[in-house]
Amino acid sequence: MGSRVREAIVECLKEVGTNNENESQVALQTLVTITRVSPQNRNLLSQTDGAVAELVNLAKSASPTSVQILALSILFNLSLNPNLKSSLADIDNITHLHTVILSTSEESVKLAASLLCSLAMLDRNKAKFGVAGTIQVLVKAISSGRSPATHYLLSSLAELVHFHGNCTMAVRSGAIPVLVALAESADGEDLSGTSLIILGLLARFEEGLNELKKTDGIVARMVGVLKRRCMQSKEGACEILMRLFDESETCMKEAMRLPEFTSVVADISIRASGKTREKAGLLMKKMMDPNLY
């Protein structure tokens, strides 16, 4: 079975290298299918001389876009194998993903962001992306306007900021105002929820927490999220408020001055899902501190 797959891979790569666009696209689609479900097939393709380099070169070509999309799809499939994540995350490939994210079609951006996120799941790749400037690229792309690819970009950023150094870069790249605006946006609950998750990750460290504290009206804005967003967003907003309150009594007193704050938190502490209810309960305990009155 393995020998037949290997032969099919070699034949497809030959057809990809021809000048016949139709044959090339059919061959690439076959490789997408071959690598979609089988880790063994992905290894076979990666071990074929020149295969990965050829796919990377095709992914660098935006004309025709369909070829770029197919090549990125195959590279994404390869990245699902843990043993291939490190080799695929070399600087040339990362630089190309930046170019795709900033300048090509939505479908290509989705695939490039998904590939980036997959590669970043290997912890030792996280710092490599940070050094390569990926955080700045993602923040720039996210801030440039909402599109169907925004959620993919946010997921990649969320994966990368699990590494402290990348949190610092995100804060310095202006991620916090971009994420706060998305958290408040009416465009989609997924965008709001993921943005708040990232803000919570950034708030674990001094740089992010200080930047949040300096954000105009941050307490009232997070209370606004508690009033009207999905459970994932409410949980994220509770987490951010907890971090703000732990750091700043002023933030806590500011929240207590909002007439709706107490009733909103009380409602969530009773009717929300498990983690959200737990976080709201912790907020309720803080509100009972006699020093606040």
Side-chain angles (χ1 to χ4, degrees):
M1 181 67 174
S3 61
R4 289 204 301 270
V5 173
R6 187 178 287 107
E7 289 171 4
I9 288 171
V10 170
E11 189 60 33
C12 285
L13 289 170
K14 287 180 181 176
E15 292 175 3
V16 167
T18 68
N19 292 324
N20 188 312
E21 187 177 311
N22 288 334
E23 286 184 3
S24 181
Q25 291 197 35
V26 169
L28 286 169
Q29 185 59 64
T30 301
L31 291 174
V32 171
T33 303
I34 286 174
T35 56
R36 181 174 290 138
V37 295
S38 170
Q40 293 79 14
N41 290 351
R42 295 170 201 148
N43 283 330
L44 283 173
L45 177 57
S46 71
Q47 293 160 6
T48 303
D49 286 346
V52 172
E54 177 71 16
L55 291 168
V56 170
N57 285 333
L58 290 171
K60 289 179 180 178
S61 171
S63 178
T65 304
S66 55
V67 168
Q68 181 185 63
I69 288 171
L70 289 168
L72 285 167
S73 298
I74 299 165
L75 291 170
F76 172 73
N77 290 345
L78 294 180
S79 77
L80 299 176
N81 279 24
N83 62 301
L84 300 179
K85 290 183 188 292
S86 182
S87 60
L88 287 170
D90 65 38
I91 292 298
D92 285 344
N93 290 352
I94 292 172
T95 301
H96 170 59
L97 291 177
H98 294 173
T99 302
V100 174
I101 285 169
L102 292 175
S103 64
T104 55
S105 71
E106 275 183 6
E107 191 60 33
S108 292
V109 173
K110 289 179 184 179
L111 284 164
S114 296
L115 173 55
L116 191 159
C117 188
S118 176
L119 296 175
M121 288 177 182
L122 182 68
D123 283 345
R124 67 172 175 267
N125 279 346
K126 287 181 170 62
K128 189 184 296 186
F129 279 110
V131 171
T134 303
I135 302 297
Q136 293 90 326
V137 169
L138 288 172
V139 173
K140 181 178 179 180
I142 292 165
S143 65
S144 66
R146 298 173 186 84
S147 76
T150 301
H151 184 65
Y152 294 78
L153 298 167
L154 285 170
S155 295
S156 298
L157 184 59
E159 185 62 41
L160 285 169
V161 296
H162 280 88
F163 178 66
H164 184 187
N166 290 342
C167 286
T168 298
M169 292 180 190
V171 172
R172 294 177 182 176
S173 299
I176 284 181
V178 172
L179 294 167
V180 170
L182 277 175
E184 295 180 298
S185 168
D187 283 359
E189 297 292 359
D190 283 347
L191 296 183
S192 175
T194 307
S195 297
L196 285 157
I197 288 171
I198 299 170
L199 285 169
L201 291 169
L202 297 180
R204 293 175 302 165
F205 304 108
E206 185 178 0
E207 308 99 321
L209 191 56
N210 285 342
E211 195 66 27
L212 272 170
K213 284 162 55 181
K214 291 189 291 185
T215 300
D216 187 41
I218 187 62
V219 171
R221 295 167 83 172
M222 289 300 102
V223 173
V225 171
L226 291 180
K227 289 166 57 179
R228 63 181 183 274
R229 281 299 187 183
C230 67
M231 284 302 156
Q232 184 185 42
S233 296
K234 290 177 190 291
E235 182 182 338
C238 283
E239 175 70 21
I240 291 164
L241 287 170
M242 281 294 299
R243 293 192 181 278
L244 289 170
F245 294 169
D246 284 342
E247 179 70 16
S248 169
E249 188 176 297
T250 300
C251 287
M252 183 65 183
K253 290 181 176 179
E254 183 180 337
M256 293 299 294
R257 288 195 291 270
L258 298 171
E260 69 271 38
F261 177 66
T262 303
S263 59
V264 168
V265 175
D267 183 64
I268 294 172
S269 70
I270 295 170
R271 298 201 302 151
S273 58
K275 283 187 177 181
T276 310
R277 189 169 61 244
E278 180 183 340
K279 291 181 187 296
L282 292 172
L283 287 176
M284 289 287 289
K285 286 183 180 178
K286 283 191 172 293
M287 289 157 51
M288 297 168 65
D289 185 347
N291 294 324
L292 292 171
Y293 302 93

